[in-house]
Each structure stands twice: as structure tokens, then as C-alpha cells.
Amino acid sequence: MTAVPSPSLTGLVDSHCHLDRLKLDAYGGDFDALMAATAAAGVSHMLCIGVDLASFPQVRQLAECWPQVFASVGVHPLYRNAEAATLMELKTLSAHPKVVAIGETGLDYLDDPVDAKEQQQRFATHILAARETGLPLIVHTRGAREDTLAMLREYGGGKVRGVLHCFTEDLATAEAAIKLGFYISISGIVTFRNADALRDVVRALPLERLLIETDSPWLAPVPYRGKQNEPRFVSEVAQAVAALQGISPAELASATRKNFFRLFIKACEWQADHCAAAKRRPCHSDG
């Protein structure tokens, strides 16, 4: 089995991962073993992200079966062939007690800017769903910073909070998003050799608006480049961000955990109501 990172950090939260997309070869096909390794690495909670309606039932099931896992519902902007989600569908599916956010949604013009109008229509629907449900919005944006911010202002109407995930934009974009009530989530990209510009941004960001993530199974941080990314590797992100912020990794872990539960209020409420149930054996492993 793959070596587990040092468990020197505890209470880590991976604010953005795709558990349903992970390959389990290193664990002999045993999802329980992967989750055990994740816990051993100090990761206490994860947010499993929905990227289309077809795979959402699996994402929801993972959240139902594992007390440390929460879920979101949405359609990723690059899933062009996926069924578009209606406002009613997003509102209905997000009523589940473990679904704590709307998304992943947003705009991505880097690969194919031709379909920008369709992306914008889908993004608008997600923003309205977040506004009407009161849930945070998980935003993916690449090559579309101006349109992303403009649409958040127009459709959010000052009533939508959320997070710009896997952030790689400039400081001005981050500051504009923060003014709109958004958090900034940093992934393993911050450890990449060519990420000096991102590291400069992270140094300048306010700690109270920072989250950390893996975006696993993609974007494994140094020293795991070339391997499948996993939630347990969020410890590497925490250490890198802590160094840039000039604080200890433990302080960074504590702050980002508090930020996570401050933003995802529904997760905080569920955690408070089910702290006893969180100690039970995961349901999918029960006989």
C-alpha cells in the first residue's frame, strides 16, 4: 500500500475532492482502506463535489455512508454533454441533509470559448439556485475572470456566498471575490515549481478567507506529482500554504477548518446534530 503522509497534522478538511472518481488499485479495490489512510493522515472531513446529475447519486451515497463526507450538487462547465440542471432540480436535490453546496459550476473559456453563452446560461441557473436555497456556491473559473465576477454580481445580487476553488487567478480577482462574500481555496498547484505567481497571491490573502483542497484525483501536490491525488495529500497543501502565510501548519489547519464550517453552515449544523452518529461504522460496510 502507498505510504501514508505524516499524521502530524489533525483536523484537516479537504474542501474539494471527487471521491467517486478515485481509483482504488493501491488499496486492493477497498474503499474502506482508502478512507482509513485518509483518517490516518489527519483528514477529518471532506466535501465530495458533484459534477453532473448522472453521477450525483453516487456522490450523495458517499455522503450518506460516511459521516465525515459532505456533498454538493451541480454540473461542471466543461461537462458539455451532460444534462443541464434546472433550477428546480438543483433546489430539490440540494434539500438532502448532507448536500451542503451548489456546484461545481462556473465558466471555463480556456478549452473552448465557443460555448461561452451556454456556459453562462448554466452558471446563471446555479447562482440563482444558491441564492434561493441560501447554500454556498462552488465556482470553477479559468480564462473567464471578468465574466465570472460580473455574473456573480448580477445574479447573486449580494446574497450569494461561496468559494472560488482551485484558485489560480491574480490577487485582484481574489480580492473582488472576497468583497462579494467568497472564500479562496488553494490546491496542490501551490506546490508546483512554476507556480510562483500563485504563491505571491497566497502570501497576500487574508487567512480568514482561505480554504485548502486536493481536487483529487487530479493535481497531486509535490512530492506526489505523477500519482493519483487523494484527500490525504491535503496535508502537503496545508504545509505549503502555512509557510507562505508565515504561520505553523497546525494554525493553518485549524483556521481553514473553522473557515470551512463557517462557509458551509449546513455542514456545521449536521455535524452538531450528528456528532454521536459520526462515530458509527460507515453504513456501506455494515454486513
Side-chain angles (χ1 to χ4, degrees):
M1 181 176 293
T2 307
V4 176
S6 170
S8 57
L9 294 179
T10 60
L12 290 163
V13 178
D14 185 352
S15 69
H16 192 112
C17 60
H18 301 271
L19 296 173
D20 58 314
R21 310 273 161 164
L22 290 171
K23 296 180 180 179
L24 302 174
D25 298 356
Y27 299 94
D30 186 354
F31 192 82
D32 286 36
L34 180 144
M35 293 297 274
T38 302
V43 181
S44 64
H45 294 87
M46 291 152 274
L47 179 51
C48 185
I49 305 299
V51 295
D52 60 20
L53 297 184
S55 62
F56 174 72
Q58 184 178 359
V59 170
R60 179 177 56 199
Q61 183 180 37
L62 286 168
E64 290 172 343
C65 291
W66 294 89
Q68 66 268 49
V69 176
F70 298 99
S72 72
V73 59
V75 179
H76 193 289
L78 292 182
Y79 281 59
R80 301 178 181 88
N81 296 324
E83 174 188 357
T86 67
L87 179 59
M88 184 55 67
E89 284 175 320
L90 290 172
K91 291 172 64 176
T92 299
L93 294 173
S94 67
H96 188 283
K98 292 295 294 285
V99 177
V100 302
I102 302 294
E104 181 172 355
T105 182
L107 302 173
D108 192 321
Y109 297 166
L110 289 187
D111 292 334
D112 185 5
V114 175
D115 70 344
K117 290 298 182 183
E118 182 179 357
Q119 285 193 35
Q120 290 167 14
Q121 291 171 356
R122 294 187 175 200
F123 188 28
T125 299
H126 285 74
I127 299 173
L128 291 174
R131 180 171 178 171
E132 294 191 18
T133 61
L135 293 177
L137 190 69
I138 298 170
V139 178
H140 167 113
T141 180
R142 291 197 312 164
R145 65 184 72 174
E146 294 84 2
D147 285 355
T148 297
L149 292 170
M151 290 190 67
L152 289 174
R153 294 187 184 100
E154 178 181 358
Y155 292 95
K159 298 180 180 180
V160 173
R161 300 196 311 154
V163 55
L164 298 192
H165 106 91
C166 196
F167 191 81
T168 55
E169 302 292 346
D170 59 15
L171 181 59
T173 302
E175 292 174 338
I178 289 171
K179 287 182 180 179
L180 290 174
F182 278 70
Y183 288 68
I184 307 298
S185 183
I186 306 301
S187 73
I189 291 175
V190 75
T191 70
F192 293 4
R193 183 177 57 184
N194 61 349
D196 288 338
L198 176 59
R199 285 187 280 272
D200 287 341
V201 171
V202 173
R203 289 186 183 96
L205 290 175
L207 179 60
E208 64 270 18
R209 287 302 183 93
L210 274 175
L211 295 173
I212 53 176
E213 64 171 90
T214 60
D215 202 13
S216 53
W218 305 287
L219 302 174
V222 175
Y224 302 102
R225 298 293 293 136
K227 299 180 179 180
Q228 173 180 256
N229 201 3
E230 297 180 20
R232 62 193 178 98
F233 296 157
V234 76
S235 60
E236 303 297 336
V237 182
Q239 292 178 49
V241 172
L244 294 169
Q245 286 273 307
I247 60 177
S248 72
E251 289 176 295
L252 191 283
S254 176
T256 52
R257 177 188 176 87
K258 291 177 181 177
N259 292 346
F260 177 86
F261 285 107
R262 186 181 300 120
L263 174 61
F264 299 104
I265 297 173
K266 194 173 172 182
C268 184
E269 293 172 344
W270 188 94
Q271 189 72 9
D273 291 341
H274 296 80
C275 57
K279 298 179 181 179
R280 293 196 309 233
R281 184 177 176 83
C283 63
H284 78 287
S285 299
D286 291 342

Coordinates of all heavy atoms in Angstrom, one line a residue, residues 205-280:
L205 N -3.2 36.8 0.8 CA -4.6 36.6 1.1 C -4.9 36.6 2.6 O -4.0 36.1 3.4 CB -5.0 35.2 0.5 CG -5.1 35.1 -1.0 CD1 -5.5 33.7 -1.5 CD2 -6.2 36.1 -1.5
P206 N -6.0 37.1 3.0 CA -6.4 37.0 4.4 C -6.7 35.6 4.9 O -7.4 34.8 4.2 CB -7.6 37.9 4.5 CG -8.2 37.8 3.2 CD -7.1 37.7 2.2
L207 N -6.1 35.2 6.0 CA -6.2 33.8 6.5 C -7.7 33.5 6.7 O -8.1 32.3 6.5 CB -5.5 33.7 7.8 CG -5.5 32.3 8.5 CD1 -5.0 31.2 7.6 CD2 -4.8 32.4 9.8
E208 N -8.5 34.4 7.1 CA -9.9 34.2 7.4 C -10.8 33.9 6.2 O -11.9 33.5 6.3 CB -10.5 35.3 8.2 CG -10.6 36.6 7.5 CD -9.3 37.5 7.7 OE1 -8.3 37.0 8.1 OE2 -9.4 38.7 7.4
R209 N -10.2 34.0 5.0 CA -10.9 33.7 3.8 C -10.3 32.5 3.0 O -10.6 32.3 1.8 CB -11.1 34.9 2.9 CG -12.1 35.9 3.5 CD -13.4 35.3 3.7 NE -14.4 36.3 4.1 CZ -15.2 37.0 3.3 NH1 -15.1 36.8 2.0 NH2 -16.0 37.8 3.8
L210 N -9.4 31.8 3.6 CA -8.7 30.7 2.9 C -9.3 29.3 3.2 O -9.7 29.0 4.3 CB -7.2 30.7 3.4 CG -6.2 31.6 2.6 CD1 -4.9 31.5 3.3 CD2 -6.1 31.2 1.2
L211 N -9.3 28.5 2.2 CA -9.6 27.1 2.3 C -8.5 26.3 1.6 O -7.8 26.9 0.8 CB -11.0 26.7 1.7 CG -12.2 27.3 2.3 CD1 -13.5 27.0 1.5 CD2 -12.4 26.8 3.7
I212 N -8.4 25.0 1.9 CA -7.4 24.2 1.2 C -8.2 23.0 0.6 O -9.2 22.6 1.1 CB -6.3 23.7 2.1 CG1 -6.8 23.1 3.4 CG2 -5.4 24.9 2.4 CD1 -5.7 22.5 4.3
E213 N -7.6 22.4 -0.4 CA -8.3 21.3 -1.1 C -7.3 20.5 -1.9 O -6.1 20.9 -2.1 CB -9.3 21.8 -2.1 CG -8.7 22.7 -3.3 CD -9.6 23.0 -4.4 OE1 -10.3 24.1 -4.3 OE2 -9.7 22.2 -5.3
T214 N -7.7 19.3 -2.4 CA -6.9 18.5 -3.3 C -7.4 18.5 -4.7 O -6.6 18.4 -5.6 CB -6.8 17.0 -2.8 OG1 -8.2 16.5 -2.8 CG2 -6.2 16.9 -1.4
D215 N -8.7 18.6 -4.9 CA -9.3 18.4 -6.2 C -9.0 17.0 -6.7 O -8.9 16.8 -7.9 CB -8.8 19.5 -7.2 CG -9.8 19.6 -8.4 OD1 -11.0 19.1 -8.3 OD2 -9.5 20.3 -9.4
S216 N -8.7 16.1 -5.8 CA -8.4 14.7 -6.2 C -9.5 14.1 -7.0 O -10.7 14.5 -6.8 CB -8.1 13.9 -4.9 OG -9.2 14.0 -4.0
P217 N -9.2 13.3 -8.0 CA -7.9 12.6 -8.2 C -6.9 13.3 -9.0 O -5.9 12.8 -9.5 CB -8.3 11.3 -8.9 CG -9.5 11.7 -9.7 CD -10.2 12.7 -8.8
W218 N -7.1 14.6 -9.3 CA -6.2 15.4 -10.1 C -5.3 16.3 -9.3 O -5.5 16.5 -8.1 CB -7.0 16.2 -11.1 CG -8.0 15.4 -11.9 CD1 -7.7 14.6 -12.9 CD2 -9.4 15.3 -11.7 NE1 -8.8 13.9 -13.4 CE2 -9.9 14.4 -12.7 CE3 -10.3 15.9 -10.8 CZ2 -11.3 14.0 -12.8 CZ3 -11.7 15.5 -10.9 CH2 -12.1 14.6 -11.9
L219 N -4.2 16.8 -10.0 CA -3.4 17.8 -9.4 C -2.7 17.4 -8.1 O -2.6 18.2 -7.1 CB -4.2 19.1 -9.2 CG -4.9 19.7 -10.4 CD1 -5.7 20.9 -10.0 CD2 -3.8 20.1 -11.4
A220 N -2.1 16.2 -8.1 CA -1.4 15.8 -6.9 C -0.2 16.8 -6.6 O 0.5 17.2 -7.5 CB -0.8 14.4 -7.1
P221 N -0.1 17.2 -5.3 CA 1.0 18.1 -4.9 C 2.3 17.4 -4.9 O 2.5 16.2 -4.8 CB 0.5 18.5 -3.5 CG -0.2 17.3 -3.0 CD -0.9 16.7 -4.1
V222 N 3.4 18.3 -4.9 CA 4.7 17.8 -4.6 C 4.7 17.3 -3.2 O 4.1 17.9 -2.3 CB 5.7 18.9 -4.8 CG1 7.1 18.5 -4.4 CG2 5.7 19.5 -6.2
P223 N 5.2 16.1 -2.9 CA 6.1 15.2 -3.7 C 5.4 14.1 -4.4 O 6.0 13.1 -4.7 CB 7.1 14.7 -2.7 CG 6.2 14.5 -1.5 CD 5.2 15.6 -1.5
Y224 N 4.1 14.2 -4.7 CA 3.3 13.1 -5.2 C 3.0 13.3 -6.7 O 2.1 12.7 -7.2 CB 2.1 12.9 -4.4 CG 2.3 12.6 -3.0 CD1 2.2 13.6 -2.0 CD2 2.8 11.3 -2.6 CE1 2.4 13.3 -0.7 CE2 3.1 11.0 -1.2 CZ 2.9 12.0 -0.3 OH 3.1 11.8 1.0
R225 N 3.7 14.3 -7.4 CA 3.4 14.6 -8.8 C 3.5 13.3 -9.6 O 4.4 12.5 -9.4 CB 4.4 15.6 -9.3 CG 4.3 17.0 -8.6 CD 3.0 17.7 -8.9 NE 2.8 18.0 -10.3 CZ 1.7 17.9 -11.0 NH1 0.7 17.3 -10.4 NH2 1.7 18.3 -12.2
G226 N 2.6 13.1 -10.5 CA 2.6 11.9 -11.4 C 1.8 10.8 -10.8 O 1.5 9.8 -11.5
K227 N 1.3 10.9 -9.6 CA 0.5 9.9 -8.9 C -1.0 10.4 -8.9 O -1.2 11.6 -9.0 CB 1.0 9.6 -7.5 CG 2.4 9.0 -7.5 CD 2.8 8.7 -6.1 CE 4.2 8.1 -6.0 NZ 4.7 7.8 -4.6
Q228 N -1.9 9.5 -8.6 CA -3.2 9.9 -8.4 C -3.3 10.7 -7.1 O -2.7 10.4 -6.1 CB -4.1 8.7 -8.2 CG -5.6 9.0 -7.7 CD -6.5 7.8 -7.6 OE1 -7.3 7.5 -8.4 NE2 -6.3 7.0 -6.5
N229 N -4.0 11.8 -7.1 CA -4.1 12.7 -6.0 C -5.2 12.0 -5.1 O -6.1 11.4 -5.6 CB -4.6 14.1 -6.4 CG -4.3 15.1 -5.3 OD1 -3.8 14.8 -4.2 ND2 -4.7 16.3 -5.6
E230 N -5.1 12.2 -3.8 CA -6.0 11.7 -2.8 C -6.3 12.7 -1.7 O -5.4 13.6 -1.5 CB -5.5 10.4 -2.2 CG -5.3 9.3 -3.1 CD -4.7 8.0 -2.4 OE1 -4.9 8.0 -1.2 OE2 -4.2 7.2 -3.1
P231 N -7.4 12.7 -1.0 CA -7.7 13.6 0.1 C -6.6 13.7 1.1 O -6.3 14.8 1.7 CB -9.0 13.2 0.6 CG -9.7 12.5 -0.5 CD -8.6 11.8 -1.3
R232 N -5.9 12.6 1.4 CA -4.9 12.6 2.4 C -3.7 13.5 2.1 O -2.9 13.9 2.9 CB -4.4 11.2 2.7 CG -3.7 10.4 1.5 CD -3.6 9.0 1.8 NE -3.0 8.2 0.7 CZ -1.8 7.9 0.6 NH1 -0.9 8.2 1.6 NH2 -1.3 7.2 -0.4
F233 N -3.5 13.8 0.8 CA -2.4 14.7 0.4 C -2.7 16.2 0.7 O -1.9 17.0 0.4 CB -2.1 14.5 -1.1 CG -1.6 13.1 -1.5 CD1 -1.8 12.7 -2.8 CD2 -1.1 12.3 -0.5 CE1 -1.3 11.4 -3.1 CE2 -0.6 11.0 -0.9 CZ -0.7 10.6 -2.2
V234 N -3.9 16.5 1.2 CA -4.2 17.9 1.6 C -3.2 18.4 2.6 O -3.1 19.6 2.8 CB -5.7 18.0 2.0 CG1 -5.9 17.5 3.4 CG2 -6.1 19.5 1.9
S235 N -2.6 17.4 3.3 CA -1.6 17.9 4.3 C -0.4 18.6 3.7 O 0.1 19.5 4.3 CB -1.1 16.6 5.1 OG -0.5 15.7 4.2
E236 N -0.1 18.2 2.5 CA 1.0 18.9 1.8 C 0.6 20.3 1.4 O 1.4 21.2 1.4 CB 1.4 18.1 0.5 CG 1.8 16.6 0.8 CD 3.1 16.5 1.6 OE1 3.9 17.5 1.7 OE2 3.2 15.5 2.3
V237 N -0.7 20.4 1.0 CA -1.2 21.8 0.7 C -1.2 22.6 1.9 O -0.8 23.8 1.9 CB -2.6 21.7 0.1 CG1 -3.1 23.1 -0.3 CG2 -2.6 20.7 -1.1
A238 N -1.6 22.1 3.0 CA -1.6 22.8 4.3 C -0.2 23.3 4.7 O -0.1 24.5 5.1 CB -2.2 22.0 5.4
Q239 N 0.7 22.5 4.5 CA 2.1 22.9 4.9 C 2.6 24.0 4.0 O 3.3 24.9 4.4 CB 3.0 21.6 4.9 CG 2.7 20.6 6.0 CD 3.5 19.4 6.0 OE1 4.7 19.5 5.9 NE2 2.9 18.2 6.0
A240 N 2.3 23.9 2.7 CA 2.8 24.9 1.7 C 2.1 26.2 2.0 O 2.8 27.3 2.0 CB 2.5 24.4 0.3
V241 N 0.9 26.2 2.2 CA 0.1 27.4 2.4 C 0.5 28.1 3.8 O 0.7 29.3 3.9 CB -1.4 27.2 2.4 CG1 -2.2 28.5 2.8 CG2 -1.8 26.8 1.0
A242 N 0.7 27.2 4.8 CA 1.2 27.8 6.1 C 2.5 28.5 6.0 O 2.7 29.6 6.5 CB 1.3 26.6 7.1
A243 N 3.4 27.9 5.2 CA 4.7 28.5 5.1 C 4.6 29.9 4.4 O 5.3 30.9 4.8 CB 5.6 27.6 4.2
L244 N 3.7 30.0 3.4 CA 3.5 31.2 2.7 C 2.8 32.3 3.6 O 3.0 33.5 3.4 CB 2.7 31.0 1.4 CG 3.4 30.2 0.3 CD1 2.4 29.7 -0.7 CD2 4.6 30.9 -0.3
Q245 N 1.9 31.8 4.4 CA 1.2 32.7 5.3 C 2.1 33.1 6.6 O 1.7 34.0 7.3 CB -0.1 32.1 5.8 CG -1.2 32.0 4.7 CD -2.0 33.3 4.7 OE1 -2.5 33.7 5.7 NE2 -2.1 33.9 3.6
G246 N 3.2 32.4 6.8 CA 4.0 32.7 7.9 C 3.5 32.2 9.2 O 3.7 32.8 10.3
I247 N 2.7 31.1 9.2 CA 2.2 30.5 10.4 C 2.5 29.0 10.4 O 3.0 28.5 9.4 CB 0.7 30.7 10.5 CG1 0.0 30.0 9.3 CG2 0.3 32.2 10.6 CD1 -1.6 30.1 9.4
S248 N 2.2 28.4 11.5 CA 2.5 26.9 11.6 C 1.5 26.1 10.9 O 0.3 26.6 10.7 CB 2.5 26.5 13.1 OG 1.2 26.5 13.6
P249 N 1.8 24.9 10.4 CA 0.8 24.1 9.7 C -0.4 23.8 10.6 O -1.5 23.7 10.1 CB 1.6 22.8 9.4 CG 3.0 23.3 9.2 CD 3.1 24.4 10.3
A250 N -0.2 23.7 11.9 CA -1.3 23.4 12.8 C -2.3 24.6 12.8 O -3.5 24.4 12.9 CB -0.8 23.1 14.2
E251 N -1.7 25.8 12.8 CA -2.6 27.0 12.8 C -3.3 27.1 11.5 O -4.5 27.5 11.5 CB -1.7 28.2 13.0 CG -1.1 28.4 14.4 CD -0.2 29.7 14.4 OE1 0.9 29.6 13.8 OE2 -0.5 30.6 15.1
L252 N -2.7 26.7 10.4 CA -3.4 26.8 9.1 C -4.5 25.8 9.1 O -5.6 26.0 8.6 CB -2.3 26.5 8.0 CG -2.7 26.8 6.6 CD1 -3.6 25.7 6.0 CD2 -3.4 28.1 6.4
A253 N -4.2 24.6 9.6 CA -5.2 23.5 9.6 C -6.4 23.9 10.4 O -7.6 23.8 10.0 CB -4.7 22.2 10.2
S254 N -6.2 24.5 11.6 CA -7.3 25.0 12.5 C -8.1 26.1 11.8 O -9.3 26.1 11.8 CB -6.7 25.5 13.8 OG -7.7 26.0 14.6
A255 N -7.4 27.1 11.2 CA -8.1 28.2 10.6 C -8.9 27.8 9.4 O -10.1 28.2 9.3 CB -7.1 29.2 10.2
T256 N -8.4 26.9 8.5 CA -9.1 26.5 7.4 C -10.3 25.6 7.7 O -11.3 25.6 7.1 CB -8.2 25.8 6.3 OG1 -7.5 24.8 6.9 CG2 -7.3 26.8 5.7
R257 N -10.2 24.8 8.8 CA -11.3 24.0 9.3 C -12.4 25.0 9.8 O -13.6 24.7 9.4 CB -10.8 23.1 10.5 CG -11.9 22.3 11.1 CD -11.4 21.6 12.3 NE -12.5 20.9 13.0 CZ -12.8 19.6 12.7 NH1 -12.2 19.0 11.8 NH2 -13.8 19.0 13.4
K258 N -12.1 26.0 10.6 CA -13.1 26.9 11.0 C -13.7 27.6 9.8 O -14.9 27.9 9.8 CB -12.4 27.9 12.0 CG -12.0 27.4 13.3 CD -11.3 28.4 14.2 CE -10.9 27.8 15.5 NZ -10.1 28.8 16.3
N259 N -12.9 28.0 8.8 CA -13.5 28.7 7.7 C -14.4 27.8 6.9 O -15.5 28.2 6.4 CB -12.3 29.1 6.7 CG -11.4 30.2 7.3 OD1 -11.8 30.8 8.3 ND2 -10.3 30.4 6.7
F260 N -14.1 26.5 6.8 CA -14.9 25.5 6.1 C -16.3 25.5 6.8 O -17.4 25.6 6.1 CB -14.3 24.2 6.1 CG -15.2 23.1 5.5 CD1 -15.1 22.9 4.1 CD2 -16.0 22.3 6.2 CE1 -15.9 21.9 3.5 CE2 -16.8 21.3 5.6 CZ -16.8 21.1 4.3
F261 N -16.4 25.3 8.0 CA -17.7 25.2 8.7 C -18.4 26.5 8.9 O -19.6 26.6 9.0 CB -17.5 24.5 10.1 CG -17.2 23.0 10.0 CD1 -16.0 22.5 10.2 CD2 -18.3 22.2 9.6 CE1 -15.8 21.1 10.1 CE2 -18.1 20.8 9.5 CZ -16.8 20.3 9.7
R262 N -17.6 27.6 8.7 CA -18.3 28.9 8.7 C -19.0 29.2 7.4 O -20.1 29.8 7.3 CB -17.2 30.0 9.0 CG -17.8 31.4 9.1 CD -16.7 32.5 9.3 NE -15.9 32.2 10.5 CZ -14.6 32.0 10.5 NH1 -14.0 32.0 9.4 NH2 -14.0 31.7 11.7
L263 N -18.3 28.7 6.3 CA -18.9 28.9 5.0 C -20.0 27.9 4.8 O -21.2 28.3 4.4 CB -17.9 28.8 3.9 CG -18.4 28.8 2.5 CD1 -19.1 30.1 2.1 CD2 -17.2 28.5 1.5
F264 N -19.7 26.6 5.0 CA -20.7 25.6 4.7 C -21.5 25.3 6.0 O -21.3 24.4 6.7 CB -20.0 24.3 4.3 CG -19.3 24.5 3.0 CD1 -17.9 24.6 3.0 CD2 -19.9 24.6 1.8 CE1 -17.2 24.8 1.8 CE2 -19.3 24.8 0.6 CZ -17.9 24.9 0.6
I265 N -22.4 26.3 6.3 CA -23.2 26.3 7.5 C -24.0 25.0 7.7 O -24.1 24.5 8.8 CB -24.1 27.5 7.6 CG1 -23.3 28.8 7.6 CG2 -25.0 27.5 8.8 CD1 -24.1 30.1 7.4
K266 N -24.5 24.5 6.6 CA -25.3 23.2 6.7 C -24.5 22.1 7.2 O -25.0 21.2 7.9 CB -25.9 22.9 5.3 CG -27.0 21.9 5.3 CD -27.7 21.9 3.9 CE -28.7 20.7 3.8 NZ -29.2 20.6 2.4
A267 N -23.2 22.0 6.8 CA -22.3 21.0 7.3 C -22.1 21.2 8.8 O -22.0 20.2 9.5 CB -21.0 21.1 6.5
C268 N -21.9 22.4 9.2 CA -21.7 22.7 10.6 C -22.9 22.2 11.4 O -22.8 21.6 12.5 CB -21.5 24.2 10.8 SG -21.1 24.6 12.5
E269 N -24.1 22.5 10.9 CA -25.4 22.1 11.6 C -25.5 20.6 11.7 O -25.9 20.1 12.7 CB -26.6 22.8 10.9 CG -26.6 24.3 11.1 CD -27.7 24.9 10.2 OE1 -28.2 24.3 9.3 OE2 -28.0 26.1 10.5
W270 N -25.2 20.0 10.5 CA -25.3 18.5 10.5 C -24.3 17.9 11.5 O -24.6 17.0 12.2 CB -25.0 18.0 9.1 CG -25.3 16.5 9.0 CD1 -26.5 15.9 8.6 CD2 -24.4 15.4 9.3 NE1 -26.4 14.5 8.6 CE2 -25.1 14.2 9.1 CE3 -23.1 15.4 9.8 CZ2 -24.5 13.0 9.3 CZ3 -22.5 14.1 10.0 CH2 -23.2 12.9 9.8
Q271 N -23.1 18.4 11.5 CA -22.1 17.9 12.4 C -22.5 18.0 13.9 O -22.3 17.1 14.7 CB -20.8 18.7 12.2 CG -19.6 18.1 12.9 CD -19.1 16.8 12.3 OE1 -19.5 16.4 11.2 NE2 -18.1 16.2 13.0
A272 N -23.1 19.2 14.2 CA -23.6 19.4 15.6 C -24.7 18.4 16.0 O -24.7 17.9 17.1 CB -24.1 20.8 15.8
D273 N -25.6 18.1 15.0 CA -26.7 17.3 15.3 C -26.4 15.8 15.3 O -27.1 14.9 15.8 CB -27.8 17.5 14.2 CG -28.5 18.9 14.4 OD1 -28.3 19.4 15.5 OD2 -29.1 19.3 13.4
H274 N -25.2 15.4 14.6 CA -24.9 14.0 14.4 C -23.5 13.7 15.0 O -22.9 12.7 14.4 CB -25.0 13.6 13.0 CG -26.4 13.8 12.4 ND1 -27.0 15.0 12.0 CD2 -27.4 12.9 12.2 CE1 -28.2 14.8 11.6 NE2 -28.5 13.5 11.7
C275 N -23.0 14.4 16.0 CA -21.7 14.1 16.5 C -21.6 12.7 17.0 O -20.5 12.0 16.9 CB -21.3 15.1 17.5 SG -22.4 15.2 18.9
A276 N -22.7 12.2 17.6 CA -22.6 10.8 18.1 C -22.6 9.8 16.9 O -21.9 8.8 16.9 CB -23.8 10.6 19.0
A277 N -23.5 10.1 15.9 CA -23.6 9.2 14.8 C -22.2 9.1 14.0 O -22.0 8.2 13.3 CB -24.7 9.6 13.9
A278 N -21.4 10.2 14.1 CA -20.2 10.2 13.3 C -19.2 9.2 13.8 O -18.2 8.9 13.1 CB -19.6 11.6 13.5
K279 N -19.4 8.6 14.9 CA -18.5 7.5 15.4 C -19.0 6.1 15.0 O -18.3 5.2 15.3 CB -18.5 7.6 17.0 CG -17.9 8.9 17.5 CD -17.9 8.9 19.0 CE -17.4 10.3 19.5 NZ -17.3 10.3 21.0
R280 N -20.1 6.0 14.3 CA -20.6 4.7 13.9 C -19.7 4.2 12.7 O -19.1 5.0 11.9 CB -22.0 4.8 13.4 CG -23.0 5.1 14.6 CD -24.4 4.8 14.2 NE -24.7 5.4 12.9 CZ -25.8 6.1 12.7 NH1 -26.6 6.4 13.7 NH2 -26.0 6.6 11.5

